[in-house]
Amino acid sequence: MNELLDVLWQASLWLAVGVILLAATRPLLVRLGGAGLAYRSWWLLPLLLATLLIPLQQVALLQHVPALPLKVVPEAVEGLPASSLQWPLLLLVAWALGAGVCLLRDLRAQRRFERGMGALQARADGSWQASGDPGLPALVGLWRPRIVVGPDFDQQFTAQEQALILQHEHSHRRNGDHWANGVLLLMRAVFWFHPLLPWAARRFLRDQELACDARTIAPQPALRGLYASTLLKAQLVHPVAPAVCHWRSQPVLKERIAMLKLSKRKALPWVSGQVLVVGLCLGMGAVAWASQGGAMAAGPTVAVMDREIRVDKMPPPSYPKSAFEQSQTGVVVLRVDVDAQGAVSDVRVVSATNPGVFEAVSIAAARSWTYRPALKNGKPVAGAVRIPITFAMDESDDVTETAR
């Protein structure tokens, strides 16, 4: 439970870092490589989140961590302390409810949009014609995306304008923009609480449309004027469905037309632009991955300390009531990271002989203990201590397992 909350917290921090970095570098990327380069830079966010799931190799460090064994007998049998479970559980439930509500809201919006199209009829040009118009033309769907046009498509647009619109939607499909919108849908559900995500989602969808416009008009620059007038000709609507790539969108219309006026060739070659974006993504991903280790990522060798970490107050955890009633015993080995001020920065379960029984009370107890930091060259430094906690039914039982 605590581990999941820690992952969400760390991912939220790096998501904020990524959004701020993209907001700061976007003007430069647009000037160097156009809308396409700015759109591809959004790969940074899912890459940052993915790198946080790659664990750092820390096994070599454990053999250098001093151990402070502790034995627990059921002198005071009770359930888990309210303070140890209440807040993490409440936060986890609140996050799950928020994610579920956000996901359900988006799926209902998608379903409402698809119902608004009514019956679909195949067209000779490979698209589909709807009997209703909730905001068409658009590329609709994730698994089987279809280009759907409105019932008045043939009357509203000339043949040349229709060709441009269909090319635009085909470009969305070839580029996999519908899958990108699906990833955005999931991120909005998981990080519904993130204050920067709504802005990032709006900016991402705008860059998606600008990049698609650039791809569509690049082979035929003489049609820029016709393309802009076709955008203006459509009735303006707000995008309302998360799994839809809309041809028309009011918030970005002015910016789309302004981007079409940039007819001169960009100074930065295409390959150089890709190298710039890939370097940005890989560099930030490496920093995010390395940040997981904190003080432990310094390397497998640990300098000799003047004094190891000490625990001044170490009241034993309560013996879980259910474990006592079933005469369950076990050993939980914890790794407690203590910063230079003596505060607990992290508690991890290294091993447990009876998984799922004693870990929660052990972690809660370790976070409540009072520590004195290690000393090196007379100065307090961050460090770690390994604490094997033996849960036995009486004082005569020996420790069945020690830390390796």
Side-chain angles (χ1 to χ4, degrees), residues 183-302:
V183 173
L184 177 62
L185 185 150
L186 292 178
M187 289 184 64
R188 289 175 59 181
V190 173
F191 298 99
W192 59 268
F193 55 88
H194 204 289
L196 296 181
L197 193 57
W199 177 88
R202 292 192 299 269
R203 185 68 264 179
F204 169 80
L205 293 175
R206 292 186 178 194
D207 284 345
Q208 183 182 93
E209 289 303 321
L210 293 173
C212 190
D213 290 339
R215 291 194 305 268
T216 303
I217 207 65
Q220 42 195 356
L223 297 180
R224 290 178 184 272
L226 179 63
Y227 194 90
S229 64
T230 306
L231 283 174
L232 288 172
K233 196 174 183 179
Q235 179 185 357
L236 303 181
V237 297
H238 291 278
V240 293
V244 171
C245 297
H246 293 268
W247 155 256
R248 51 196 185 183
S249 52
Q250 184 176 3
V252 75
L253 178 62
K254 185 176 180 180
E255 190 175 0
R256 290 173 69 180
I257 294 178
M259 188 67 70
L260 291 174
K261 297 178 181 178
L262 301 178
S263 58
K264 62 180 181 180
R265 187 179 182 84
K266 299 298 178 182
L268 189 68
W270 186 89
V271 174
S272 300
Q274 310 316 303
V275 171
L276 177 62
V277 170
V278 171
L280 175 67
C281 294
L282 292 182
M284 289 300 300
V287 173
W289 174 72
S291 71
Q292 299 177 78
M296 295 181 294
T301 59
V302 177

Side-chain angles (χ1 to χ4, degrees), residues 73-388:
V73 295
E75 295 178 351
V77 179
E78 59 183 48
L80 295 177
S83 60
S84 67
L85 280 182
Q86 184 177 6
W87 284 111
L89 180 59
L90 289 177
L91 289 175
L92 194 60
V93 170
W95 168 78
L97 287 176
V101 169
C102 186
L103 185 61
L104 181 61
R105 179 197 62 195
D106 285 345
L107 292 179
R108 289 185 63 183
Q110 178 70 21
R111 181 59 180 164
R112 186 165 54 247
F113 182 89
E114 293 180 357
R115 285 200 305 265
M117 295 189 303
L120 300 182
Q121 183 178 1
R123 292 167 51 94
D125 55 18
S127 64
W128 295 76
Q129 187 147 19
S131 56
D133 188 2
L136 300 172
L139 178 68
V140 182
L142 290 178
W143 302 109
R144 293 188 305 167
R146 294 183 289 187
I147 298 174
V148 184
V149 299
D152 301 326
F153 184 65
D154 293 326
Q155 293 76 28
Q156 188 176 9
F157 301 100
T158 66
Q160 196 172 20
E161 291 171 343
Q162 293 176 29
L164 286 175
I165 293 174
L166 294 178
Q167 289 173 24
H168 176 94
E169 299 302 333
H170 278 297
S171 179
H172 271 310
R173 185 164 57 186
R174 287 193 302 269
N175 202 58
D177 291 339
H178 54 295
W179 287 113
N181 290 350
V183 173
L184 177 62
L185 185 150
L186 292 178
M187 289 184 64
R188 289 175 59 181
V190 173
F191 298 99
W192 59 268
F193 55 88
H194 204 289
L196 296 181
L197 193 57
W199 177 88
R202 292 192 299 269
R203 185 68 264 179
F204 169 80
L205 293 175
R206 292 186 178 194
D207 284 345
Q208 183 182 93
E209 289 303 321
L210 293 173
C212 190
D213 290 339
R215 291 194 305 268
T216 303
I217 207 65
Q220 42 195 356
L223 297 180
R224 290 178 184 272
L226 179 63
Y227 194 90
S229 64
T230 306
L231 283 174
L232 288 172
K233 196 174 183 179
Q235 179 185 357
L236 303 181
V237 297
H238 291 278
V240 293
V244 171
C245 297
H246 293 268
W247 155 256
R248 51 196 185 183
S249 52
Q250 184 176 3
V252 75
L253 178 62
K254 185 176 180 180
E255 190 175 0
R256 290 173 69 180
I257 294 178
M259 188 67 70
L260 291 174
K261 297 178 181 178
L262 301 178
S263 58
K264 62 180 181 180
R265 187 179 182 84
K266 299 298 178 182
L268 189 68
W270 186 89
V271 174
S272 300
Q274 310 316 303
V275 171
L276 177 62
V277 170
V278 171
L280 175 67
C281 294
L282 292 182
M284 289 300 300
V287 173
W289 174 72
S291 71
Q292 299 177 78
M296 295 181 294
T301 59
V302 177
V304 177
M305 299 293 179
D306 300 338
R307 186 192 72 193
E308 301 293 349
I309 294 174
R310 295 181 182 178
V311 186
D312 290 338
K313 295 181 180 181
M314 198 176 185
S318 300
Y319 213 101
K321 184 177 181 180
S322 59
F324 173 74
E325 293 173 346
Q326 300 175 27
S327 300
Q328 291 180 304
T329 62
V331 178
V332 177
V333 181
L334 299 179
R335 177 192 174 98
V336 182
D337 298 317
V338 181
D339 61 22
Q341 288 72 43
V344 177
S345 57
D346 191 21
V347 179
R348 303 183 185 184
V349 176
V350 178
S351 63
T353 59
N354 203 344
V357 179
F358 301 106
E359 292 97 317
V361 292
S362 300
I363 293 174
R367 290 187 180 276
S368 67
W369 294 335
T370 303
Y371 302 86
R372 276 194 285 174
L375 293 179
K376 179 183 177 183
N377 298 328
K379 297 181 180 180
V381 294
V385 61
R386 190 176 50 198
I387 304 178

Side-chain angles (χ1 to χ4, degrees), residues 18-54:
V19 170
I20 294 173
L21 180 62
L22 289 177
T25 58
R26 184 184 180 279
L28 176 62
L29 294 175
V30 171
R31 186 163 60 251
L32 293 178
L37 190 62
Y39 178 54
R40 286 188 291 273
S41 68
W42 286 100
W43 277 106
L44 174 65
L45 298 187
L47 182 61
L48 283 178
L49 300 180
T51 54
L52 295 176
L53 300 178
I54 304 175

